[in-house]
Amino acid sequence: VNAIVSSNTRIVFMMAQASTSGLILREAYSQGVFGSDSGYVWFLTDAATTAMGTVLSSMTLTDPCPDCGEVADAPPAMTEAECAAAMKGAVGMSPVTDFSGMSSIYAAWTSRFASQVDTVGADPSAGGVCADAVSALSGDSGTSMTNAPMGDTCVCSSEVDSAGRPLWQLDHDGDASTADRCSGMAYSTGYMNGYAPYAYDGIVAFAQAANATGDGFDGAALQEALRASVSFEGVTGQVEFTNRDSNKGDREV
């Protein structure tokens, strides 16, 4: 924030998690570089716009981050009215989450995604989700719970990746003496992280480029293959990589 104050920048693009975003905005407000009448325009990414409750907590709590240092060093807490007024000087962004108008294969892909077997864990005796699950996954088709400790009342998938690491079990506290947690997905709820379609297309693009380059490729060869050899209709739309002057995809990267 000090660097923003001392620069000639009037447009600020902030990419940070929600709690950190709140701390940054709080400091910026105290220094007069955030707010509808500050003369500055802030662009906030979806990490903040989809978790505004967390952002506002960081802006309004007396001690917004107990682990960050002395509370006396924090800028003054903002009131909810000050937050509401200050946010009028910000532009919130979020990724596209429905690509049905951009891709002819999106609907079929989402159907296949939702038909996968749930991996959130189940109670082997009673059936259903594990009783001690603590995190909710909600979608258009319902809500399920996950992140339950593994044990007699909760069993989750033992599937592993190519390196032998569990895909759906998480050592959540780094303590080998405590039970791992089931950290799977509840596909049947219709829940889908907003980045899943982008990640899918990214992997397909990488695979096409790697296949075109052959064994032993390096970064430069892969980048050239992405530009010259990758072209497909993805679940997010047409995917191609070109230079700024001859962009062929529906978005410029």
Side-chain angles (χ1 to χ4, degrees):
V1 174
N2 290 336
I4 295 171
V5 172
S6 61
S7 72
N8 291 321
T9 299
R10 292 286 174 168
I11 299 176
V12 183
F13 182 89
M14 182 176 66
M15 182 177 292
Q17 293 302 314
S19 57
T20 304
S21 295
L23 294 174
I24 294 171
L25 294 176
R26 177 171 171 162
E27 178 66 35
Y29 183 79
S30 72
Q31 296 197 39
V33 295
F34 170 62
S36 58
D37 58 354
S38 66
Y40 290 76
V41 177
W42 287 69
F43 287 83
L44 314 181
T45 64
D46 62 297
T49 58
T50 59
M52 286 304 297
T54 301
V55 174
L56 294 175
S57 291
S58 293
M59 297 170 72
T60 58
L61 290 176
T62 301
D63 188 0
C65 183
D67 296 330
C68 297
E70 297 296 329
V71 65
D73 296 331
M78 298 171 63
T79 66
E80 291 186 5
E82 287 175 328
C83 292
M87 283 296 180
K88 293 180 180 178
V91 179
M93 298 178 291
S94 63
V96 174
T97 57
D98 183 352
F99 298 94
S100 55
M102 304 167 67
S103 170
S104 65
I105 65 174
Y106 177 73
W109 180 82
T110 55
S111 178
R112 294 199 310 274
F113 186 92
S115 67
Q116 297 179 89
V117 177
D118 287 351
T119 55
V120 293
D123 186 326
S125 58
V129 298
C130 303
D132 295 330
V134 295
S135 300
L137 297 174
S138 298
D140 294 338
S141 302
T143 298
S144 186
M145 302 294 292
T146 187
N147 283 342
M150 295 173 56
D152 293 339
T153 60
C154 188
V155 176
C156 47
S157 172
S158 59
E159 187 178 3
V160 297
D161 63 15
S162 59
R165 294 173 297 223
L167 289 172
W168 309 116
Q169 301 171 21
L170 174 68
D171 182 2
H172 66 291
D173 58 5
D175 185 347
S177 67
T178 60
D180 288 352
R181 290 182 177 270
C182 295
S183 56
M185 277 286 296
Y187 298 103
S188 61
T189 66
Y191 168 82
M192 181 191 299
N193 183 281
Y195 292 106
Y198 295 103
Y200 183 88
D201 281 352
I203 293 299
V204 173
F206 177 88
Q208 287 195 3
N211 184 62
T213 305
D215 294 338
F217 60 80
D218 57 18
L222 186 66
Q223 184 174 17
E224 175 58 23
L226 281 169
R227 186 195 66 79
S229 303
V230 172
S231 177
F232 64 96
E233 182 185 19
V235 297
T236 65
Q238 182 64 23
V239 178
E240 294 191 22
F241 299 86
T242 55
N243 61 39
R244 184 176 297 274
D245 297 324
S246 59
N247 185 51
K248 293 183 289 184
D250 57 13
R251 280 144 293 170
E252 187 171 288
V253 178

